[in-house]
Amino acid sequence: MTSSAKEAEQLRAELLEHNYRYYILDDPRVTDSEYDRLFRQLKMLEDADPSLITPDSPTQRVGAKPSSKFASVKHRLPMLSLDNAFSEDEFRSFHQRLVGRLRSENVRLDDADATPGQELAYCCEPKLDGLAVSLVYEKGLLQTALTRGDGYEGEDITVNIRTIPTVPVKLRGHDFPDVLEVRGEVLLPKAAFAEINRSAEAAGEKVFANPRNAAAGSLRQLDPKITASRPLEIFIYSTGYLSNEADWPDSHYERLTRLRELGFRINAEIALVTGVDDCLAYYDAFATKRPELPYEIDGIVYKIDSKAIQQKLGFVSRSPRWAIARKFPAEEVQTRLQSIDFQVGRTGSVTPVARLNPVLVGGVTVSNATLHNMDEIARLDARPGDDVILRRAGDVIPQIVSVIPAPASERGEPVAAPTHCPACGADVVREEGNAVARCSAPLSCPEQRKYSLTHFASRRAMDIEGLGEKVVEMLLDARLVDTAADLYTLTTEQLETLDRFAAKSAAKLVDAIAASTGAPFNRVIYALGIREVGETTARLLAKAFRSMAALRNADQTALEAIHDIGPIVAGHVVEFFDQPANLEVIDRLAAAGVTMAEPEDAATGAGDVSPGGTQEPGPFAGLRVVLTGSLETMTRDEAEDRMRALGAIPSSAVSAKTDLLIAGAKAGSKLKKAQTLGIKVIDEEELRVMLAPFV
Ligand code: I6G
């Protein structure tokens, strides 16, 4: 070995050791400038003789060139998700379930004579609000880093993960298996998140809603230089695949200690406790500490410490039985109410919206919150200039819970109920006994027409490709259409007068509109945008009445006679068909050739109509599922279709009959109701894991 090679090797070892002391032990032995000096020295040697560069050199963290996409790679062992507990009671039940199960299987617990339920050892740790990743080391060197993905397959983000200083590129010592997989959470500390958003705002760029999104966005950069510029961190929380599994301790806690010795960053707050009371005390301590922590956490994870017991308990519905995340309740913050505006919805509801000084709550920056209706404003006595207390659980829509009035001299006037629609100026009406105010011009109000035409053309309704919100807006602005029926008289010449339309695109849209006349009857009903008539109700109506003529003649009693249709929805249907303007549109749609009946041979109204038609048994067979909130990786329709294909019966309302609620981001009252009713709740990631084998 040349003297430069020796020097380079020594510098690498020294820098690796300093990194370990600084990032993992939090106990640096050299100053930053000394570290920089050593780093520069190594870089100089490597520049002079590139053959000295090794993959584990600290100079090689940001080596790779930008790529065009991330490759999909299978996990050696699935990356599952955790079940949740939302209260002390739920945690106690979880514990009792485990103890009962273990006793029934005659599993010897540590101290079988201890007070029942007190003898299980749990490893507790804060649940970090970051991104789960898997890191695979082969012969001590970082080989692959994957996102969780759908739990079975993740994206290869190795080059980006390498840029995170707390990720060891090479393990310490020599006592490690040939293959070692660890799992952890990548996160962005709160302060770094605030700084990134400050610079993004100053540069006029889009800001991230929360630290988790910022971490995900940083990790999914095609150019690792950008990832390297973001101060991401990692905490490792467990082992994954181990080529020498039998040589590892039974205790999860001891495994973490070993991982720390190998150079991994393990959260110093992790504790090994025995029995329920200590678990609860751990939770309470973190509920208090949470605001002072440098990173976001959304609960506490409890895991049975013994791997042998974990193995006995196994898994249920893709979550380990031996672990649970107890979530913190909704966080509350205070912010200033700037003003109260009114918005018109698709069905004409005129809703007050609070405009707030942006504030981070439950990990999300919030600047608007609905005030629901005038009664709510009166109840809170909310006025511009007041402070409001905002609450948001991890995945629930922000809510204003109370108002702290500004001093009288700074207080705005009470907000008056709108008398005119903010979109079209028509009168606003409020029905007796109904809290919601509505614009009285459903067919002429531009806001409603825009919504209703966009809905009419949407994929689940008439499925007119190329007719999205922007094009609808252009058609309305150019006065080429007024109602859905006008779409069917549009000509290519008319469309070509619009921006962005050439002969070819105009012809394509005209063709797509013509093709939509063949949409099945249930989708035509759905497309009409009748209040509270979603896809499921539209299917029921199509199946029960079989033609538009029969449906428009149906009275309240006939409608209520249909199973699952209540008086309110029945009332909306009657009201809709009572409006001559609506009937005129329907007549014109019929004249244009739009389907107005079920096909003759569809005696059962099956096919597209069958709710929950089971084609393949699977994890959803016979389950009544409700989807709420928004999904990030698929549309709600797509999710419902996929579950339906696996035997699920999707429904829009949560009731005691619901088996499973899928809560996407910003889930609200349905999630609360499901929790109250004790219905199983899973998130999008868990849904993807359940669907993954059936792609
Ligand atoms: O998603 C997770 C976050 C944190 C986890 C997890 C965890 O432990 C601290 N542990 C397990 C076992 C799983 N998901 C499946």
Side-chain angles (χ1 to χ4, degrees), residues 160-221:
N160 289 349
I161 280 286
R162 282 176 66 93
T163 69
I164 303 177
T166 36
V167 170
V169 176
K170 180 184 181 187
L171 301 183
R172 280 168 58 78
H174 302 284
D175 189 15
F176 40 72
D178 278 354
V179 184
L180 163 72
E181 185 200 356
V182 292
R183 274 131 190 226
E185 203 89 15
V186 173
L187 57 87
L188 201 59
K190 287 178 195 167
F193 165 70
E195 186 49 44
I196 287 175
N197 269 358
R198 253 196 304 279
S199 343
E201 206 163 1
E205 292 164 7
K206 213 176 134 222
V207 295
F208 289 108
N210 56 51
R212 187 175 191 281
N213 285 4
S218 306
L219 213 46
R220 293 194 78 262
Q221 289 291 334

Side-chain angles (χ1 to χ4, degrees), residues 80-82 125 148 185 237 301 303 320 322:
L80 306 167
S81 44
L82 290 172
E125 65 186 281
R148 185 206 294 268
E185 203 89 15
Y237 61 70
V301 179
K303 293 178 183 167
W322 40 266

Side-chain angles (χ1 to χ4, degrees), residues 103-126:
R103 284 193 190 287
S104 73
E105 289 182 21
N106 289 325
V107 174
R108 209 190 126 63
L109 305 176
D110 278 355
D111 176 2
D113 297 327
T115 316
Q118 296 294 307
E119 57 281 89
L120 273 176
Y122 286 99
C123 193
C124 317
E125 65 186 281

Side-chain angles (χ1 to χ4, degrees), residues 87 91 137 249 626:
S87 64
F91 178 73
Y137 290 77
V626 175

Side-chain angles (χ1 to χ4, degrees), residues 336-338 383-387 404-413:
R336 181 65 45 88
L337 174 60
Q338 296 169 347
R383 303 194 201 175
D386 290 347
D387 271 3
I404 303 170
S409 60
E410 292 163 33
R411 229 178 160 207
E413 290 298 310

